[in-house]
Amino acid sequence: MVEDELALFDKSINEFWNKFKSTDTSCQMAGLRDTYKDSIKAFAEISRQNKLIQEKKDNLLKLIAEVKGKKQELEVLTANIQDLKEEYSRKKETISTANKANAERLKRLQKSADLYKDRLGLEIRKIYGEKLQFIFTNIDPKNPESPFMFSLHLNEARDYEVSDSAPHLEGLAEFQENVRKTNNFSAFLANVRKAFTATVYN
């Protein structure tokens, strides 16, 4: 751009010199003045055009930089969304697997509970204070529906603690100690049932 301006200015000077040589001095002076004015105007216009071009170029570069920035933000956002989708899919799969396992476990527990109730006459209920109540029936032949029960919970030391037996059992504390030592809960239930049965025949 600057080289073009200099070439234009040089051309104007040459035109002026040629006119100066071919005319008289007064005409030359008038021509010189007009040519000088025209040259100044042309130079000013060129400068103005250059300034406008530079402003447009700067604006275009700024716009390109903004578009690049937005594109990068979009790429990061897209990657984050994909990560979240994958994490959600994994968690959904984990929850689904856990739900299936829990449903299967619940089915087995229900089957065991039904077996205890039907064959052993044992029903287990959750009652106040995080306690479980164990209710035996089919102990008294004269009254099979008569309940024999006790309550059980885990104390702060996470040991079994038995309470509230009806009718009262003398050997309950001993049974409690045995189950704490052996952790054999089936044997504990069998011993409690035998003790309740003994109360019927004594």
Side-chain angles (χ1 to χ4, degrees), residues 4 38 64 70 72 78 100 112 121 148 156 173 184:
D4 292 342
D38 290 344
I64 289 169
K70 295 289 181 190
Q72 288 174 346
T78 303
K100 284 177 185 174
S112 296
F148 293 75
E156 290 180 4
N184 187 341

Side-chain angles (χ1 to χ4, degrees), residues 6-201:
L6 289 173
L8 187 61
F9 189 69
D10 191 46
K11 183 181 175 185
S12 297
I13 294 294
N14 287 334
E15 286 176 2
F16 164 73
W17 180 248
N18 290 332
K19 283 182 183 179
F20 183 74
K21 285 194 298 183
S22 63
T23 57
D24 60 34
T25 308
S26 61
C27 288
Q28 287 176 358
M29 291 301 287
L32 177 62
R33 185 185 66 227
D34 292 342
T35 302
Y36 176 75
K37 284 182 180 178
D38 290 344
S39 296
I40 294 297
K41 283 180 184 176
F43 188 75
E45 180 62 22
I46 288 169
S47 295
R48 191 179 71 80
Q49 290 296 330
N50 282 345
K51 187 177 179 183
L52 287 173
I53 289 168
Q54 188 60 45
E55 285 176 1
K56 287 181 180 178
K57 184 180 175 184
D58 291 344
N59 287 338
L60 185 60
L61 289 173
K62 186 178 176 183
L63 192 61
I64 289 169
E66 286 177 3
V67 168
K68 282 183 180 176
K70 295 289 181 190
K71 186 180 177 185
Q72 288 174 346
E73 285 178 18
L74 184 62
E75 287 172 357
V76 170
L77 188 61
T78 303
N80 286 344
I81 288 171
Q82 186 60 34
D83 289 345
L84 287 172
K85 281 182 179 178
E86 289 172 7
E87 186 179 348
Y88 172 75
S89 180
R90 284 193 301 271
K91 286 186 177 178
K92 188 177 176 184
E93 184 65 29
T94 301
I95 289 169
S96 175
T97 303
N99 284 343
K100 284 177 185 174
N102 285 340
E104 191 60 34
R105 194 176 298 118
L106 188 62
K107 189 177 176 182
R108 287 196 306 270
L109 286 172
Q110 188 60 51
K111 192 174 178 181
S112 296
D114 291 343
L115 180 69
Y116 276 122
K117 189 172 182 181
D118 294 342
R119 296 197 181 170
L120 302 177
L122 173 63
E123 184 179 354
I124 304 168
R125 296 178 186 165
K126 185 176 179 183
I127 58 173
Y128 64 92
E130 297 299 316
K131 288 185 178 182
L132 292 176
Q133 187 178 55
F134 293 77
I135 304 166
F136 292 99
T137 54
N138 298 330
I139 288 180
D140 186 349
K142 295 176 184 176
N143 190 3
E145 296 302 315
S146 179
F148 293 75
M149 64 188 81
F150 71 93
S151 298
L152 179 137
H153 70 279
L154 293 176
N155 61 22
E156 290 180 4
R158 308 301 291 165
D159 288 327
Y160 292 114
E161 194 160 313
V162 184
S163 59
D164 309 325
S165 69
H168 178 71
L169 290 177
E170 291 294 333
L172 206 54
E174 184 183 338
F175 297 149
Q176 176 179 281
E177 284 305 311
N178 285 339
V179 76
R180 284 181 181 179
K181 288 176 185 175
T182 64
N183 209 27
N184 187 341
F185 200 73
S186 296
F188 167 75
L189 288 177
N191 288 332
V192 171
R193 184 177 178 85
K194 284 177 189 174
F196 278 136
T197 304
T199 63
V200 171
Y201 294 101

